[in-house]
Amino acid sequence: MFKKTLGWIDERFPLTVIVKHELTEYPVPKNLTYWWSFGFLAIFILGVQLVSGIFLAMHYKPDALLAFDSIQHIMRNVNYGWLIRYLHSTGASAFFAVIFIHIARTLYYGSYRRPRELMWWTGLVLLLLMMTTAFMGYLLPWGQTSYWGAQVITSLFGTTPFYGEDIVRWLRGGYVVGDATLTRFFALHYLLPFIIIAGVVIHVVALHWVKGSNPSGITLTAGDNIPFHPYFTIKDLFGLGVFLIVFCSFVFFGPEFFIESANNIPADPLHTPQHIVPEWYFLPFYTILRSIPDALGGVIAMIMSLLVFAALPWLDRSSVPGGALYRPGYRILVYLFFIDVLVLGYVGTQPPEGVSMVVGRVATFVYFGLFLLLPIVSSGEDRRSRRAGLPSAAERLIREEQEELLRSQHNQRREGDKMPEKRKRSHLRGHK
Amino acid sequence: MVRLWVWLAVVMVILNSHSAVADNDGIALKKVDFDTTITARQRGAETVVGVCLMCHSLKYVKFGDLAGIGMSPEKIQSLLTDQQFADPLLSLTPLAVRKESFGTEPPDLSLMVVARKRGPQYIYTLLTSFYIDETGRTNNYLFPGVKMPDMLGYSLTAEGSAERAQVEAQIRDAVSFLMWAADPNADERREMGVYVIVYLIVLTILLYLMKRRAWRRVR
């Protein structure tokens, strides 16, 4: 029965071929570490957010007068409403945590370089979409932090020269954040995840075209690739298990951790809370915003702090494979960057005065400075490796891969048609 | 292994910096443990309905919900004035009167425990910080100039006296009730969480063994 149905479908739609080609037999470098599991985890949480979000929307009321109460209705009266809501609120943080690690891995191993620039850029667009979605979703509980957070962030657009006020009014649907803002944010918060899914499809199609990177940074030959199933299905499932243990610990034992206490007070346009701290995943960018003395300058710096990532494929002038693994100079930059982002994040939690203001400014300077240093450091590394050769480990790996490639091409010639069509692109793109 | 510890340390620092923000600035909150048994919660419910409800409401909690802390229908009945089981715990004093007498609207207490940083400690400290100043007026150390009167008479009791201990116990119970009111499903959630985590740990161990087996073939 199953076979017959499948046969019927296969005659009309390449189901088996797609599953085989893109999933079960999709070749994956066998030397991947667990840092490569986070892309899959991100897709998993996207699913959790989508499903829990749809169920929340069935009970939530996007109305300034009803929104806050409807959340309590979900928490108290809806069957397992508390579980759905805590999955969703904790899921937002988990999503960012996983994506940040995913990005950190890409940075560390320099995976944004040729031929994966489009993956890097689609990934960056996905991050921006995710941030927008999270920001809009955060307004929906209609608590004090929700309200004033939206008020502050939308007012940033007011720094736009000439049209500032008009843009802010257009975004809010009024002079202040109000019912109109809430309903439009709800509409967009429901829409954007589907656009994110489309973005993820493009991201994954690009991945399957260029194939995944691996810690060595050297494109491995067919012999060093293994099929996705069963090796990576089971590896990713184990990773998922570990992730779920951490995730569920928060959902069941500390869900309030991610809910700012002021957000349990209904939005009140007449009372500004003392200090508004954004969600943790916005903190580094928030610090950059605050560190520039000029309002417009701060907004530009904050936007640039994200957009500058798009330039990485050009800023990194080295063709030494393996990112930080074989590049000591780059490794220092990457670690400094990670530490700097943590410092920026910490400063974001502190009131903007005294020492923390100074530290924030220094960290902002370092943040952009590292991007500017990258072309110099990387072209230096490139020159040195051209003179002195690659690190011996990389050399050895490339030699091995080359030999194996020769062998396999040799075999291919001998056995002729019987060999499956090997991919002609890719192969050894390590060192020019 | 060393790396793992470094990563764990980083995570701990991040989590800590989060809770560092969550700390109350200003006067230190008293550290107290709250009794989360149903008897304590029931005693607390009586105080809250009998005293706090004069001014405050708990609009998200219904009288019928008190069955959730093990109250019998008769007991709940005894708390009712002229409300029904399905009615929320609303103050019987008209809003206008409350606003008029205090110059502000007493906030709803259903979510008070989660609406303040370290809520339970905060409420306990607030209610045990009333004192009588030189001019003979009641004031509050934690919330100077608070518009709420010292309803339980904490400031009238002498330091270390049996009466004071009694008032403190009463406040502790009221807070345990408010903790329940803010999140009535918390007990169920934690109980379920234990099963979920145990299940996940077993599952993950099995997945790890399967992974090891599958990967043995890979050199």
Side-chain angles (χ1 to χ4, degrees):
Chain A
M1 183 60 206
F2 177 72
K3 268 220 167 106
K4 249 172 104 179
T5 319
L6 199 63
W8 189 91
I9 295 174
D10 277 339
E11 204 180 317
R12 292 155 182 87
F13 181 89
L15 184 62
T16 311
V17 176
I18 289 179
V19 169
K20 258 195 179 161
H21 194 254
E22 304 303 334
L23 205 63
T24 53
E25 289 173 12
Y26 172 70
V28 184
K30 67 182 181 188
N31 58 344
L32 295 193
T33 61
Y34 281 103
W35 295 116
W36 265 261
S37 302
F38 285 85
F40 164 73
L41 286 182
I43 291 183
F44 175 82
I45 310 178
L46 179 60
V48 171
Q49 292 304 84
L50 206 74
V51 174
S52 57
I54 288 171
F55 277 98
L56 285 176
M58 291 177 191
H59 303 283
Y60 171 76
K61 303 265 189 306
D63 179 318
L65 294 175
L66 305 174
F68 193 87
D69 289 347
S70 73
I71 300 280
Q72 285 309 312
H73 166 68
I74 291 171
M75 290 297 288
R76 288 157 199 264
N77 306 331
V78 175
N79 287 335
Y80 294 106
W82 54 269
L83 180 58
I84 304 171
R85 180 187 177 216
Y86 282 151
L87 281 174
H88 201 72
S89 60
T90 315
S93 281
F95 205 171
F96 277 99
V98 164
I99 283 294
F100 286 159
I101 295 176
H102 187 64
I103 295 174
R105 188 273 287 153
T106 312
L107 286 176
Y108 184 87
Y109 289 103
S111 315
Y112 49 78
R113 288 177 300 170
R114 184 165 173 248
R116 298 189 180 82
E117 298 96 323
L118 271 180
M119 294 199 62
W120 178 244
W121 292 327
T122 48
L124 184 59
V125 171
L126 281 172
L127 175 67
L128 296 176
L129 283 172
M130 225 175 107
M131 289 180 151
T132 316
T133 313
F135 162 65
M136 290 179 164
Y138 201 66
L139 181 67
L140 304 185
W142 205 245
Q144 276 288 67
T145 334
S146 299
Y147 183 89
W148 290 98
Q151 189 81 17
V152 169
I153 301 293
T154 47
S155 71
L156 294 180
F157 290 88
T159 57
T160 319
F162 310 118
Y163 301 105
E165 261 176 51
D166 295 329
I167 294 178
V168 174
R169 191 145 30 96
W170 179 73
L171 284 174
R172 291 177 181 162
Y175 287 96
V176 288
V177 172
D179 191 61
T181 327
L182 178 61
T183 38
R184 68 187 50 194
F185 274 28
F186 177 65
L188 294 174
H189 184 71
Y190 205 115
L191 167 71
L192 286 180
F194 296 95
I195 296 178
I196 290 182
I197 290 179
V200 170
V201 169
I202 298 176
H203 197 67
V204 171
V205 169
L207 168 71
H208 283 223
W209 185 246
V210 298
K211 300 289 183 278
S213 62
N214 71 77
S216 75
I218 296 159
T219 307
L220 301 179
T221 55
D224 285 330
N225 282 290
I226 49 181
F228 193 84
H229 185 75
Y231 299 106
F232 286 93
T233 29
I234 188 67
K235 189 171 178 178
D236 280 350
L237 279 178
F238 167 61
L240 179 64
V242 175
F243 165 79
L244 280 178
I245 292 174
V246 178
F247 180 64
C248 288
S249 303
F250 276 110
V251 169
F252 288 97
F253 299 106
E256 304 93 347
F257 187 78
F258 296 109
I259 297 175
E260 183 70 21
S261 55
N263 222 26
N264 287 312
I265 304 170
D268 182 352
L270 302 177
H271 280 113
T272 321
Q274 272 165 338
H275 37 241
I276 310 166
V277 178
E279 290 296 84
W280 67 269
Y281 38 79
F282 290 135
L283 287 174
F285 313 104
Y286 181 63
T287 306
I288 290 177
L289 168 77
R290 290 193 313 186
S291 294
I292 310 291
D294 173 65
L296 178 60
V299 174
I300 292 176
M302 184 175 69
I303 295 174
M304 283 314 293
S305 70
L306 285 162
L307 292 188
V308 69
F309 282 110
L312 267 186
W314 291 295
L315 293 180
D316 190 345
R317 317 217 48 89
S318 165
S319 50
V320 179
L325 201 60
Y326 299 132
R327 297 167 57 189
Y330 182 73
R331 185 159 52 214
I332 293 171
L333 291 189
V334 166
Y335 274 120
L336 278 179
F337 184 75
F338 291 164
I339 294 168
D340 191 59
V341 170
L342 292 179
V343 170
L344 282 169
Y346 179 76
V347 171
T349 65
Q350 304 299 317
E353 57 207 11
V355 187
S356 74
M357 196 73 199
V358 178
V359 176
R361 291 209 168 124
V362 172
T364 303
F365 184 76
V366 171
Y367 187 99
F368 290 105
L370 288 172
F371 282 99
L372 293 181
L373 271 181
L374 182 58
I376 304 165
V377 171
S378 58
S379 47
E381 277 175 334
D382 215 35
R383 244 177 286 125
R384 201 182 46 233
S385 71
R386 209 161 277 153
R387 219 177 325 108
L390 287 174
S392 58
E395 287 286 16
R396 187 153 16 91
L397 191 62
I398 291 179
R399 210 162 337 104
E400 279 171 19
E401 290 298 314
Q402 226 145 16
E403 277 164 19
E404 194 166 326
L405 187 68
L406 282 176
R407 266 202 304 279
S408 66
Q409 277 174 346
H410 184 63
N411 288 343
Q412 222 172 338
R413 270 197 298 279
R414 265 203 321 209
E415 293 177 21
D417 313 352
K418 270 198 284 172
M419 286 298 283
E421 239 249 273
K422 280 267 147 53
R423 286 179 305 115
K424 299 197 182 69
R425 307 159 282 114
S426 80
H427 302 322
L428 292 179
R429 195 164 305 93
H431 197 55
K432 289 174 209 152
Chain B
M1 203 58 202
V2 175
R3 278 197 179 186
L4 184 68
W5 288 116
V6 171
W7 282 113
L8 280 180
V10 169
V11 170
M12 289 316 290
V13 168
I14 295 173
L15 293 186
N16 264 325
S17 73
H18 186 284
S19 56
V21 209
D23 263 359
N24 232 297
D25 18 43
I27 169 169
L29 298 182
K30 296 182 186 170
K31 287 197 181 70
V32 265
D33 286 325
F34 298 99
D35 185 352
T36 53
T37 56
I38 54 172
T39 45
R41 284 176 185 168
Q42 288 182 12
R43 287 194 303 267
E46 283 174 49
T47 307
V48 169
V49 173
V51 181
C52 315
L53 231 52
M54 278 161 66
C55 308
H56 295 277
S57 294
L58 276 80
K59 63 175 172 179
Y60 298 121
V61 183
K62 298 190 189 66
F63 280 99
D65 294 340
L66 297 180
I69 50 171
M71 271 199 181
S72 64
E74 298 77 50
K75 187 81 179 284
I76 299 175
Q77 192 71 48
S78 72
L79 295 176
L80 300 176
T81 316
D82 44 32
Q83 305 99 326
Q84 305 295 314
F85 269 54
D87 288 340
L89 273 65
L90 296 182
S91 175
L92 291 177
T93 321
L95 186 60
V97 174
R98 286 181 278 155
K99 266 197 172 152
E100 168 94 30
S101 4
F102 303 109
T104 179
E105 185 184 333
D108 191 273
L109 291 184
S110 357
L111 290 171
M112 191 50 80
V113 165
V114 285
R116 296 286 181 277
K117 284 162 186 167
R118 295 176 51 212
Q121 276 78 11
Y122 176 85
I123 300 175
Y124 178 83
T125 311
L126 176 74
L127 296 178
T128 57
S129 293
F130 283 109
Y131 68 99
I132 298 172
D133 64 13
E134 314 82 66
T135 62
R137 250 181 263 139
T138 355
N139 205 339
N140 194 292
Y141 291 119
L142 182 65
F143 191 150
V146 67
K147 293 181 178 122
M148 166 164 66
D150 179 12
M151 289 307 292
L152 298 173
Y154 179 87
S155 55
L156 304 175
T157 57
E159 181 107 35
S161 66
E163 291 85 31
R164 173 157 288 192
Q166 208 180 341
V167 174
E168 282 172 347
Q170 197 183 8
I171 294 171
R172 266 203 307 276
D173 290 343
V175 173
S176 350
F177 172 71
L178 291 178
M179 284 161 72
W180 170 83
D183 192 354
N185 296 307
D187 289 345
E188 185 196 354
R189 187 184 77 222
R190 289 192 204 101
E191 198 180 315
M192 198 165 149
V194 174
Y195 290 110
V196 170
I197 298 292
V198 169
Y199 172 80
L200 281 174
I201 289 177
V202 173
L203 181 75
T204 307
I205 291 174
L206 289 178
L207 285 171
Y208 177 70
L209 295 176
M210 279 171 72
K211 189 240 156 198
R212 272 241 313 245
R213 239 184 88 171
W215 278 73
R216 253 202 311 246
R217 277 164 272 161
V218 183
R219 90 179 141 80

